Amino acid sequence: MDEFNPLLDQTRRHFFKDCAIGLGSMALGSLLNNDNLFGAQPNEADSFVSPQAPRKPHFPAKAKSVIFLFMAGGPSQLELFDYKPKLQELNGKPIPESFIKNKRFAFMDLFTKEVPKLLGTRRQFARRGQCGAYVSDCLPHLAGIVDDIAFVRSVSTDVFNHAPAKIFVNTGSPQFGRPSMGSWVSYGIGTDSRQLPGFVVLLSGPRGPRGGALNWGSGFLPTSYQGVPFRTGGEPILNLTNPKGITPASQKQALDALRDLNAARLTDTGDQEIATRISSYELAYRMQTSAPELIEISGETKQTLAMYGAEPGKPSFANNCLLARRLVERGVRFIQLYHTDWDHHGSGGVNLNEGLDRVCKETDQPAAALIRDLKQRGLLDQTLVVWGGEFGRTPMGEIRETVGRNHHIDAYTMWLSGGGIKPGVTVGASDELGFFPAEDKVHVHDLQASILYLLVLDHK
């Protein structure tokens, strides 16, 4: 019988596991970059080098953080920003067939009953600020800061149904599975915050956005880069506090054991999801202190609370805007605020009358206050603020109980401020009916590339 040779039973996996400079060991060595790791207390911030530690950018930065005010449902640019005298003149007239031939809309059956009629707005427009930008009477607070923002009136997208359209704006694809913009940013340049996640999501309105967590998911990137939804009342994150009976000593013992087991498994496999798990336990421990302190806005001055219209302990878009500023101050890289109920088709109260009035009242003052607050604190130059939804609304009305408009993907309006954006300008324009881009079309992909560029990332 041949003499037994153990080397013949070695697989590549065994080799990498046992090799002193194996992949798992190298991954662990880069992560556990601290001589005192295994003797460290679990509350020491330097126990691990976080996967979200700041990284070298592609070129010099123009913005350090992003606050994306996502108006879920599709705000009507024709009631808010895009003044169209010709549309007013042709109110009630059938739209020329050339505009809608071979076009698709969210509710095609409404347009097959009869040729859709153009719908002028009932809102009053005026030129605002020194830049003379048109803003309607729906947004009196925003009208006061137009010289600090840039309007893009020729945004276009590819998808006309809510969930895939939101996912498209956030990930660049209408199909789930790709990383969201906030995840790419966290992955690419990390975050300056050691006590909070690099990508935070805040929700307000009567429901969550369609598409849910897919809008802030990490796709094929490690899950440490996904957005973390914060609640603005009670526990900021569910299950963050210890259950009754769990003492600091017993928590330390459990964390030590988990850290040792995960570190051993990481050495065996080199699986970066295990590195994510180690980092998540560390961050969760630190957030037991930092997250409750963050959402406690009662310590803000009365003047600040009044400026936003914020009320401590009462979840709202106003509170979330104030929290966004506090997150920027603490070094968080990407903050996304979703506010729902902008889908004004004209069904019941979801319309361009009281429905639009309500949602504008909820968001106008806080959004304007955020710009003012960042500016007066010297943070606006390094913070990019983006406002907009997944698409706009058609120049035609819909045949429903009350006045409304259908989804529109060809030309709608968004605005940006701070973080390298030239203030008081308007980019692009739609045609005289507000249907097609007339100049400087800005596709959603162009907008995404611009945001990444301002954050020092080459989108390619």
Side-chain angles (χ1 to χ4, degrees), residues 196-460:
L196 294 164
F199 178 16
V200 172
V201 177
L202 299 167
L203 306 174
S204 57
R207 60 181 178 277
R210 291 183 176 92
L214 296 174
N215 290 295
W216 52 86
S218 58
F220 50 74
L221 296 177
T223 52
S224 59
Y225 302 112
Q226 69 187 2
V228 179
F230 271 32
R231 304 194 311 162
T232 54
E235 281 189 297
I237 301 173
L238 291 176
N239 304 315
L240 186 64
T241 57
N242 289 333
K244 291 182 179 180
I246 300 298
T247 65
S250 62
Q251 185 181 21
K252 176 187 180 302
Q253 186 179 24
L255 286 173
D256 286 347
L258 284 168
R259 184 179 57 221
D260 292 346
L261 289 169
N262 281 321
R265 185 62 177 164
L266 179 63
T267 302
D268 286 348
T269 66
D271 184 354
Q272 287 304 300
E273 281 299 309
I274 299 174
T276 292
R277 193 180 309 150
I278 296 171
S279 178
S280 296
Y281 280 121
E282 293 281 332
L283 180 60
Y285 189 94
R286 295 194 294 271
M287 283 199 298
Q288 286 184 318
T289 299
S290 61
E293 183 273 334
L294 166 77
I295 68 165
E296 185 49 69
I297 63 172
S298 59
E300 297 281 343
T301 66
K302 291 182 179 179
Q303 292 82 358
T304 298
L305 294 172
M307 180 171 65
Y308 281 91
E311 299 179 53
K314 182 179 179 181
S316 67
F317 182 76
N319 284 21
N320 287 351
C321 282
L322 180 51
L323 286 174
R325 188 219 79 206
R326 291 167 65 87
L327 286 162
V328 165
E329 288 177 318
R330 288 156 175 77
V332 175
R333 188 73 71 188
F334 203 100
I335 305 116
Q336 198 157 25
L337 281 64
Y338 287 87
H339 190 73
T340 55
D341 225 20
W342 287 90
D343 191 21
H344 297 135
H345 286 282
S347 299
V350 187
N351 55 41
L352 296 174
N353 294 328
E354 63 269 19
L356 181 61
D357 287 335
R358 182 183 65 255
V359 77
C360 285
K361 185 177 180 180
E362 291 167 347
T363 59
D364 178 39
Q365 179 180 345
L370 176 62
I371 302 300
R372 289 194 175 98
D373 201 11
L374 290 170
K375 186 176 181 180
Q376 71 185 16
R377 293 170 185 268
L379 294 170
L380 186 59
D381 287 344
Q382 65 190 42
T383 306
L384 175 63
V385 182
V386 183
W387 186 102
E390 64 267 38
F391 40 60
R393 316 303 292 195
T394 58
M396 307 86 74
E398 288 195 89
I399 306 171
R400 298 208 182 192
E401 308 93 89
T402 53
V403 60
R405 301 182 189 274
N406 207 332
H407 306 172
H408 192 59
I409 65 173
D410 291 284
Y412 64 104
T413 301
M414 298 181 69
W415 61 257
L416 303 91
S417 181
I421 294 296
K422 185 176 180 179
V425 300
T426 295
V427 176
S430 60
D431 60 35
E432 60 183 2
L433 298 181
F435 199 102
F436 292 113
E439 59 183 65
D440 296 328
K441 176 181 175 180
V442 178
H443 190 271
V444 161
H445 285 156
D446 300 321
L447 180 71
Q448 292 162 337
S450 297
I451 293 172
L452 294 177
Y453 170 79
L454 292 170
L455 282 166
V456 304
L457 287 173
D458 183 340
H459 70 282
K460 293 184 178 179

Side-chain angles (χ1 to χ4, degrees), residues 83-91 118 120 431-434:
Y83 179 51
K84 295 298 175 188
K86 190 66 174 180
L87 186 61
Q88 298 297 97
E89 178 186 330
L90 298 177
N91 179 49
L118 294 168
D431 60 35
E432 60 183 2
L433 298 181

